Amino acid sequence: MARVGNDQELLRELIGMFLEDCPGWVEQIQSSVRGADARNLKLFAHLLAARLRTSASGVVTEAARRLERMGQSGELGRRRGSL
């Protein structure tokens, strides 16, 4: 609530937008990793990370940022514990 200035309506709106957009972004991220599409991974991980920065815990946000960096660097190899 502190992040939205205790504005419950704004929080509801942000959560609704996240719930609407997130499944598609996660699907795109998974598809990008499977298809080794670094450009697409960077794009959708950036969208996810940006949305999470305003509403989620640091751990979840950092995971999205790591995906974004993977896309930027083109390093999409699967390593245990890399996410």
Side-chain angles (χ1 to χ4, degrees), residues 4-38:
V4 293
N6 292 322
D7 185 335
Q8 290 183 347
E9 187 59 36
L10 177 58
L11 181 61
R12 281 189 193 99
E13 186 177 329
L14 290 172
I15 290 170
M17 289 169 38
F18 179 79
L19 292 174
E20 184 177 311
D21 296 336
C22 186
W25 293 342
V26 169
E27 184 178 314
Q28 287 292 330
I29 289 168
Q30 291 171 335
S31 175
S32 298
V33 171
R34 282 192 303 272
D37 184 345

Side-chain angles (χ1 to χ4, degrees), residues 17-76:
M17 289 169 38
F18 179 79
L19 292 174
E20 184 177 311
D21 296 336
C22 186
W25 293 342
V26 169
E27 184 178 314
Q28 287 292 330
I29 289 168
Q30 291 171 335
S31 175
S32 298
V33 171
R34 282 192 303 272
D37 184 345
R39 183 173 175 249
N40 213 35
L41 175 60
K42 180 184 173 195
L43 171 65
F44 285 97
H46 175 77
L47 290 170
L48 182 60
R51 184 65 56 87
L52 289 171
R53 278 192 275 282
T54 62
S55 60
S57 75
V59 173
V60 174
T61 302
E62 181 55 29
R65 286 181 183 157
R66 289 178 71 186
L67 286 169
E68 185 179 0
R69 287 191 298 270
M70 285 172 57
Q72 186 170 3
S73 71
E75 178 59 45
L76 304 183

